């Protein structure tokens, strides 16, 4: 056979950073790997995030592009509620309600690639308790008899002279 010989590694073209992005790694010889990233979270990488220089001097993947992410319209907090989170594609907003209110609808929504929210904002409904009435032969204080009470209202019951209360003396 013939004697072995040393040959230069294949060389690829210098890697180029995508517009609004960067390339990490500067090697362009056979076996070298580079990775690509976008400038910030308002851009998304379209294409391969890395490439390796091959034996024939070609990259394993074409350089990707960085495209602007979609922006969803700002959502308002529900009346008597709260909202936290961002409105850039892929971000989530979370909804809450103030004490004494209950959420009716989804707890969160995600900003989609088309600039539309995955769900609409919920509403916050006041929590009301069923109406209470004075015991027969007694009285009630703290809430209006027969009216729906709000959270943290306290009704107190007592019996007329000579009566004994069976059950709780108050309800919250």
């Amino acid at each position: 056979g013939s004697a072995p010989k040393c040959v230069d590694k294949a060389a690829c073209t210098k890697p180029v950073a995508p517009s609004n992005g960067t390339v990490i790694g500067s090697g362009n010889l056979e076996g070298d790997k580079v990775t690509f990233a976008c400038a910030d979270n308002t851009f998304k990488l379209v294409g391969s995030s890395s490439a390796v220089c091959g034996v024939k001097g070609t990259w394993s993947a074409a350089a990707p592009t960085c495209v602007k992410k979609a922006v969803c319209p700002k959502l308002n907090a529900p009346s008597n509620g709260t909202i936290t989170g961002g409105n850039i594609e892929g971000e989530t907003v979370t909804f809450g309600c103030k004490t004494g209110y209950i959420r009716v609808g989804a707890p969160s929504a995600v900003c989609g690639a088309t600039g539309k929210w995955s769900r609409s904002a919920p509403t916050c409904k006041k929590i009301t308790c069923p109406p209470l009435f004075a015991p027969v032969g007694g009285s009630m204080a703290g809430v209006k008899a027969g009216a729906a009470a709000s959270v943290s209202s306290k009704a107190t019951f007592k019996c007329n002279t000579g009566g004994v209360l069976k059950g709780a003396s108050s309800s919250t």
Side-chain angles (χ1 to χ4, degrees):
S2 59
K5 57 184 176 178
C6 294
V7 294
D8 290 336
K9 283 183 170 185
C12 293
T13 55
K14 278 278 186 203
V16 178
S19 180
N20 298 306
T22 58
V23 62
I24 297 115
S26 58
N28 68 323
L29 296 179
E30 182 182 325
D32 288 343
K33 180 181 178 179
V34 293
T35 55
F36 303 97
C38 291
D40 59 45
N41 77 337
T42 64
F43 292 93
K44 64 181 172 182
L45 200 66
V46 177
S48 184
S49 62
S50 65
V52 177
C53 182
V55 291
K56 293 189 168 124
T58 56
W59 289 105
S60 61
T65 56
C66 289
V67 296
K68 198 84 173 144
K69 286 183 180 179
V71 177
C72 291
K74 286 256 187 216
L75 289 175
N76 293 323
S79 183
N80 296 301
T82 60
I83 186 171
T84 55
N87 67 324
I88 295 172
E89 179 183 334
E91 292 182 335
T92 300
V93 291
T94 304
F95 305 102
C97 292
K98 293 177 181 170
T99 303
Y101 292 82
I102 188 167
R103 190 186 67 251
V104 178
S108 63
V110 178
C111 180
T114 60
K116 293 194 183 341
W117 289 103
S118 61
R119 298 183 180 100
S120 55
T123 57
C124 291
K125 183 180 170 218
K126 189 171 183 66
I127 300 169
T128 54
C129 302
L132 293 173
F133 297 93
V136 174
S139 62
M140 175 177 71
V143 296
K144 187 177 172 187
S150 61
V151 170
S152 77
S153 296
K154 184 175 180 179
T156 307
F157 308 102
K158 61 182 176 185
C159 295
N160 296 339
T161 308
V164 177
L165 192 64
K166 295 252 190 220
S169 65
S170 67
S171 179
T172 304

